[in-house]
């Protein structure tokens, strides 16, 4: 039974980790037990009594909203820019050096600069909701943090989209041209569908980076909400069960995100595996 | 359009390419040729004789370095082009299923979706492709089916001239014969003008109303084939013409 064997093999390391954790929790007063962490996870709406952050559920919502905004903006800007760079040599010459330079710097390093540029502004400073809940939530989506996520995730989107556009076979473009298609048809029927699988890879990589960047950005002093902030404050007061629970949620959402985008990528590139 | 109307006229056309290793290479040298309506013009020649270059020039995908190509019926920059090309790669977009491939030229000409789908079904039948092929993707089909689907796509724009570049290469003998018969049917039943590029002299003789021999030497040799259709490759007259054409090809 190769399938059962594979599942068993995959379960070995997580199992070992669980055993190590249980032993460590039993021997150390700092490491929380599995039960304590499960207690946090099963009551996600409870405000942590000793922590200066919101509940686990609200923290998750804040982190997800920040990523959705930052990553969404990266897609909106990155895909058209990637298509342009794939099509035009001038655009490539214009942006490529800048991209290479910016990519070399970790996105988190931009946070202080982003704070200088955006200050404490948030969607709430532009459009406040009616209820206090909405206002409080919107206010936490600081533009500075969102900008850092965009800056971190936009590069793989741009580069993969541009690469995908450049890899579209000339014969496909010629085919559309011969059928009487104009420039717009060429883009619609040959270039964009041909570049989609590669662009989807860019989206998957970008999404993974956004999710990693958000946690790091939230650990940064001054951010008092989100899963990253929960880990940081749990560490400050020694309430590690909250840090462990937050790490569990981060891993689960990261897995879901990766799985979802992998599925999208496979669906968009079914034809590519057997392209002749 | 009368059968002898000239569709494409090559006037002393040459095409030279610059290559990094071999320098300047003449792919086509001083070719003059008329391609006429209602006929199958077979272009034969060994590999590297410039057959595909000639077809690309005829289709407007490339420009000659000397001489000119004239389209007396259509003018210099007619759009959409009144010809269709089936390339060696099989001109199907791999991300569209066969029906969406066949309907694409019609969609580009603003044919309503329903009408385009109806015509695609007729074309599939005409090319003897089963109905379920419509929803398959090109990579899911056999080589022969892909070629037929490619011809159906080319016919979807109702071209006045159909250009086929090695349409039967890489398929087995039986499929080859069936495809050949379908090409012949297009010419016999619908009066379709066809420009057929092939390296197989027997194939050109089996289908062509005229055969143009292309070699590395400058110019071409044009031979009218008066044998009646359907042609029998085992008949004496056919064998005689085949030997004669082979001789002309090798002696050039």
């Amino acid at each position: 039974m190769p399938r059962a064997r594979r599942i068993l093999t995959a379960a070995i390391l997580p199992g070992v980790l669980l055993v190590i954790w249980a032993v460590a929790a039993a021997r150390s007063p700092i490491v929380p037990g599995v039960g304590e962490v499960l207690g946090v996870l099963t009551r996600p709406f409870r405000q942590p009594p000793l922590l200066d952050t919101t509940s686990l559920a609200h923290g998750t919502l804040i982190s997800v909203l920040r990523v959705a905004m930052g990553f969404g903006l990266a897609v909106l800007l990155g895909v058209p820019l990637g298509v342009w760079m794939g099509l035009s040599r001038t655009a490539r010459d214009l942006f490529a050096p800048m991209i290479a330079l910016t990519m070399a710097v970790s996105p988190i390093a931009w946070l202080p600069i982003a704070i200088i540029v955006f200050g404490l502004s948030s969607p709430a400073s532009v459009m406040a909701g009616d209820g206090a809940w909405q206002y409080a939530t919107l206010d936490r989506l600081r533009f500075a943090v969102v900008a850092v996520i965009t800056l971190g995730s936009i590069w793989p989107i741009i580069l993969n989209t541009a690469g995908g556009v450049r890899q579209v076979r000339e014969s496909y473009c010629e085919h559309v041209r011969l059928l009487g298609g104009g420039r717009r048809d060429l883009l619609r029927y040959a270039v964009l569908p041909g570049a989609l699988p590669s662009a989807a890879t860019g989206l998957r990589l970008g999404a993974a980076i956004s999710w990693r960047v958000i946690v790091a950005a939230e650990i940064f002093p001054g951010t008092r909400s989100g899963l990253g902030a929960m880990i940081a404050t749990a560490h400050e007061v020694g309430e590690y069960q909250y840090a462990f629970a937050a790490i569990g949620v981060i891993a689960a959402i990261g897995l879901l995100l990766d799985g979802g985008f992998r599925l999208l990528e496979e669906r968009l590139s079914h034809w590519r595996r057997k392209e002749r | 359009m009368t059968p002898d109307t000239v569709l494409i006229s090559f006037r002393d056309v040459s095409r030279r390419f610059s290559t990094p290793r071999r320098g300047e290479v003449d792919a086509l040298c001083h070719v003059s040729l008329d391609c006429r309506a209602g006929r199958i013009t077979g272009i034969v020649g060994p590999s590297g004789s410039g057959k595909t270059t000639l077809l690309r020039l005829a289709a407007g995908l490339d420009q000659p370095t000397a001489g000119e190509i004239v389209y007396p019926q259509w003018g210099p920059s007619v759009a959409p082009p009144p010809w269709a090309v089936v390339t060696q790669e099989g001109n199907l977009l791999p991300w569209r299923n066969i029906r969406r491939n066949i309907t694409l030229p019609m969609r580009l000409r603003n044919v309503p979706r329903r009408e385009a789908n109806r015509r695609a079904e007729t074309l599939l039948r005409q090319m003897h492709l089963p109905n379920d092929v419509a929803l398959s993707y090109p990579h899911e089909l056999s080589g022969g089916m892909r070629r037929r689907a490619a011809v159906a796509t080319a016919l979807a724009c109702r071209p006045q001239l159909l250009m086929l570049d090695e349409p039967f290469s890489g398929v087995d003998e039986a499929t080859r014969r069936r495809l050949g018969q379908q090409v012949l049917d297009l010419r016999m039943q619908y009066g379709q003008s066809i420009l057929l590029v092939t390296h197989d002299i027997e194939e050109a003789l089996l289908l062509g109303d005229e055969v143009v021999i292309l070699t590395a030497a400058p110019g071409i040799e044009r031979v009218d084939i008066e044998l009646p259709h359907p042609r029998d490759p085992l008949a004496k007259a056919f064998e005689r013409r085949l030997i004669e054409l082979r001789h002309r090809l090798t002696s050039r």
Side-chain angles (χ1 to χ4, degrees):
Chain A
M1 283 188 286
R3 194 181 154 79
R5 203 175 151 174
R6 278 178 62 199
I7 293 172
L8 217 66
T9 314
I12 290 176
L13 287 181
V16 170
L17 204 69
L18 265 173
V19 172
I20 294 174
W21 178 14
V23 172
R27 286 169 171 250
S28 152
I30 303 169
V31 180
V34 180
E36 282 176 275
V37 176
L38 281 176
V40 177
L41 285 171
T42 48
R43 279 175 294 172
F45 297 101
R46 201 173 69 121
Q47 179 71 36
L50 297 171
L51 261 60
D52 183 20
T53 52
T54 52
S55 67
L56 181 67
H58 192 254
T60 307
L61 176 74
I62 294 292
S63 291
V64 168
L65 282 178
R66 281 174 177 157
V67 165
M69 258 179 87
F71 176 67
L73 198 64
V75 174
L76 283 179
L77 295 173
V79 171
L81 192 60
V83 172
W84 188 26
M85 279 180 69
L87 292 173
S88 148
R89 206 194 162 84
T90 315
R92 273 201 297 284
D93 291 343
L94 184 66
F95 292 109
M98 193 65 201
I99 289 176
L101 210 72
T102 325
M103 245 174 77
V105 181
S106 159
I108 298 301
W110 299 110
L111 195 55
I113 297 171
I115 290 171
I116 294 171
V117 174
F118 294 102
L120 295 177
S121 63
S122 70
S125 19
V126 196
M127 42 156 204
D130 290 337
W133 177 84
Q134 282 166 303
Y135 185 82
T137 305
L138 283 178
D139 190 43
R140 289 174 200 277
L141 307 178
R142 297 278 147 81
F143 284 140
V145 177
V146 171
V148 165
I149 294 165
T150 305
L151 207 60
S153 57
I154 198 169
W155 312 124
I157 298 175
I158 293 177
L159 294 179
N160 279 281
T161 307
V165 168
R166 292 189 69 188
Q167 274 167 21
V168 173
R169 287 190 193 169
E170 181 52 29
S171 62
Y172 299 146
C173 300
E174 268 182 1
H175 174 54
V176 174
R177 222 175 287 138
L178 270 173
L179 294 178
R183 270 182 73 88
R184 194 178 289 183
D185 299 316
L186 215 65
L187 207 63
R188 178 172 168 194
Y189 295 112
V191 175
L192 292 183
L196 262 184
S198 191
T201 307
L203 293 192
R204 179 168 63 79
L205 296 175
I209 293 176
S210 319
W211 193 238
R212 258 171 247 162
V213 167
I214 182 67
V215 175
E218 286 169 348
I219 288 177
F220 206 80
T223 329
R224 307 308 302 178
S225 58
L227 291 168
M230 180 170 259
I231 295 174
T233 43
H235 165 67
E236 281 163 17
V237 296
E239 292 277 295
Y240 283 101
Q241 65 274 29
Y242 293 102
F244 274 54
I247 289 170
V249 173
I250 288 166
I253 293 179
L255 257 173
L256 270 176
L257 213 60
D258 188 64
F261 276 100
R262 216 173 268 278
L263 211 69
L264 176 81
E265 198 180 342
E266 266 169 35
R267 284 201 69 142
L268 290 175
S269 56
H270 67 99
W271 55 270
R272 208 192 206 181
R273 274 167 278 146
K274 290 180 183 165
E275 189 182 28
R276 299 172 199 201
Chain B
M1 206 179 294
T2 57
D4 274 337
T5 312
V6 175
L7 298 178
I8 302 179
S9 182
F10 279 66
R11 295 180 185 165
D12 202 23
V13 168
S14 298
R15 178 66 172 99
R16 177 172 283 188
F17 289 103
S18 298
T19 60
R21 282 175 204 281
R22 293 162 57 210
E24 302 271 292
V25 175
D26 284 313
L28 217 57
C29 211
H30 300 292
V31 168
S32 292
L33 162 73
D34 283 341
C35 180
R36 293 172 191 279
R39 314 189 69 169
I40 297 182
T41 306
I43 313 271
V44 283
S47 296
S49 57
K51 302 186 296 287
T52 299
T53 305
L54 186 142
L55 189 112
R56 288 180 60 81
L57 287 167
L61 291 171
D62 195 6
Q63 297 301 316
T65 33
E68 63 170 348
I69 299 163
V70 182
Y71 306 90
Q73 296 298 308
W74 306 315
S77 55
V78 61
W83 54 80
V85 185
V86 177
T87 55
Q88 283 183 42
E89 289 115 25
N91 65 310
L92 293 169
L93 298 174
W95 49 83
R96 294 174 81 87
N97 65 28
I98 297 300
R99 178 161 64 201
R100 280 168 34 86
N101 261 293
I102 298 176
T103 52
L104 178 60
M106 297 184 259
R107 299 294 299 150
L108 289 171
R109 286 162 176 75
N110 298 321
V111 175
R113 193 181 298 270
R114 187 172 291 192
E115 166 67 9
N117 285 342
R118 203 186 51 75
R119 263 159 63 181
E121 271 174 35
T122 313
L123 282 164
L124 283 173
R125 265 201 308 278
Q126 193 179 330
M127 294 313 294
H128 301 282
L129 284 165
N131 263 341
D132 56 347
V133 160
L135 297 178
S136 306
Y137 284 84
H139 69 257
E140 293 166 347
L141 302 184
S142 70
M145 280 178 150
R146 262 206 310 276
R147 298 298 159 96
R148 278 182 280 165
V151 174
T153 305
L155 290 174
C157 32
R158 296 186 171 155
Q160 292 179 45
L161 174 65
L162 180 64
M163 303 186 196
L164 305 170
D165 188 5
E166 301 277 8
F168 315 135
S169 67
V171 292
D172 62 86
E173 189 55 34
T175 312
R176 214 176 159 80
R177 280 189 189 284
R178 205 165 49 236
L179 283 168
Q181 189 53 50
Q182 283 173 344
V183 168
L184 210 55
D185 286 348
L186 287 175
R187 143 90 168 72
M188 297 303 202
Q189 289 179 23
Y190 307 98
Q192 179 71 56
S193 318
I194 295 168
L195 187 68
L196 169 75
V197 164
T198 173
H199 66 277
D200 185 347
I201 204 156
E202 189 178 332
E203 194 170 274
L205 184 59
L206 208 56
L207 304 173
D209 297 302
E210 60 182 335
V211 171
V212 173
I213 299 173
L214 204 63
T215 58
I220 53 144
E221 196 159 342
R222 207 187 131 267
V223 183
D224 275 316
I225 311 293
E226 314 82 11
L227 299 171
H229 286 294
R231 292 171 185 164
D232 177 10
L234 299 174
K236 279 266 177 275
F238 187 91
E239 277 183 13
R240 264 201 308 278
R241 290 313 296 267
L242 188 61
I243 292 166
E244 179 203 331
L245 283 176
R246 285 211 169 108
H247 178 70
R248 287 195 189 206
L249 186 71
T250 46
S251 61
R252 265 178 62 83

